[in-house]
Amino acid sequence: MLISRLLRGAYSVMADKFNVVFVLGGPGAGKGTQCAKIVEKFGFVHLSAGDLLREERAKPGSEYGELIENHIKNGTIVPVEITCSLLERAMKESGKNDFLIDGFPRNQNNLEGWNNQMGNKVNLKFVLFFNCPLEVCTQRCLDRGAAGSGRSDDNIESLKKRFDTYMNATMPIINHYEGQGLVHKMDASQGPDEIFAEVEKLFS
Ligand code: UDP
Ligand code: MG
C-alpha cells in the first residue's frame, strides 16, 4: 500500500519532468539545420537559445536588448539568468514535454545557472555534439551572412570572437558531459542530409 503510493509518487515526478536534449557545436556547425529536421521527423520542440535572445533583443523597450546585442556582436555569453528564464518560459508556454535546446549551455555560468534553476525539473537525455572544422564553420557563416542572414555576428570579426568563446568556454562544457557519458559526437562537416542520416539513428 505504502510502496505503491511511493511508486506512484515517483512516477508522477518523472512524468512531470521536461525531457531535454542539448545540441552543441561551433558557430555554423549546423545545429539549427539539424534541429529542424529532428522536429519534422520526431516531433520535438526546438528552442534555440540564440533565437530566443534575438527575439528578446527585438522587443521594443526590452530591458536587456542592448546588453544582448553587445554580447552577440562580441561573441560573448549573455548572463545565464536571462537565457535560462527565456528557455524556461518557452518550455512552459509550449505545453509540450520533449525539447531540443540548441546552443546552450555554452559556459560554466550557463551550466551552473541551468542546474540551479532547472536541474530538478529536467531529465537530460543526452548531448548532441556537432563537431566541425573551424574553416568549414567559418565559410558556412560567411556564406550565410552574404546570403542575407541579417545576423550582426556573421562577419569575420565577430566570428573570430565566437570561435574563441567556443574553444575556451563551450568545449569544457562538452567535455564535462562527455565525462558523464552523455555526449553523442557527430561529424558535422558533411552535407545536411548525410549528417541527418547519422542523427536519425540516435532518435529512432
Ligand atoms: N548566446 C548566448 N547564450 C546562449 C546562446 C547564445 O549568449 O545560450 C549569444 C552568444 O553571443 C552567441 C550568439 O548568441 O554568440 C549567437 O548564438 P547562436 O546559437 O544563435 O549562434 P551560433 O551557434 O550559430 O554561433
Ligand atoms: Mg543557431
Side-chain angles (χ1 to χ4, degrees), residues 27 31 49 53-54 71-72 76-78 103-104 106 151 162:
K31 302 182 293 292
L53 289 167
R54 282 182 285 272
H71 280 291
I72 288 180
T76 49
I77 311 297
V78 173
F104 179 95
R106 273 174 133 95
R151 282 181 51 160
R162 288 160 71 190

Side-chain angles (χ1 to χ4, degrees), residues 179-190:
Q180 300 184 350
L182 283 170
V183 173
H184 291 282
K185 183 172 172 175
M186 301 283 144
D187 171 7
S189 61
Q190 307 154 280

Side-chain angles (χ1 to χ4, degrees), residues 51-126:
D51 287 350
L52 289 170
L53 289 167
R54 282 182 285 272
E55 223 172 82
E56 177 64 29
R57 176 191 64 185
K59 280 190 190 151
S62 162
E63 190 183 343
Y64 302 118
E66 199 180 320
L67 178 147
I68 292 172
E69 175 57 14
N70 286 334
H71 280 291
I72 288 180
K73 260 210 311 259
N74 288 315
T76 49
I77 311 297
V78 173
V80 67
E81 291 75 16
I82 298 175
T83 316
C84 201
S85 306
L86 293 173
L87 285 167
E88 184 173 13
R89 188 171 72 196
M91 290 167 84
K92 286 183 175 155
E93 282 177 1
S94 76
K96 300 276 170 53
N97 249 314
D98 300 308
F99 299 92
L100 300 168
I101 297 190
D102 157 5
F104 179 95
R106 273 174 133 95
N107 66 2
Q108 189 65 27
N109 168 263
N110 278 181
L111 178 66
E112 284 168 13
W114 171 267
N115 285 341
N116 288 340
Q117 188 173 331
M118 301 301 288
N120 296 329
K121 305 174 190 169
V122 158
N123 167 33
L124 176 61
K125 295 177 79 76
F126 57 89

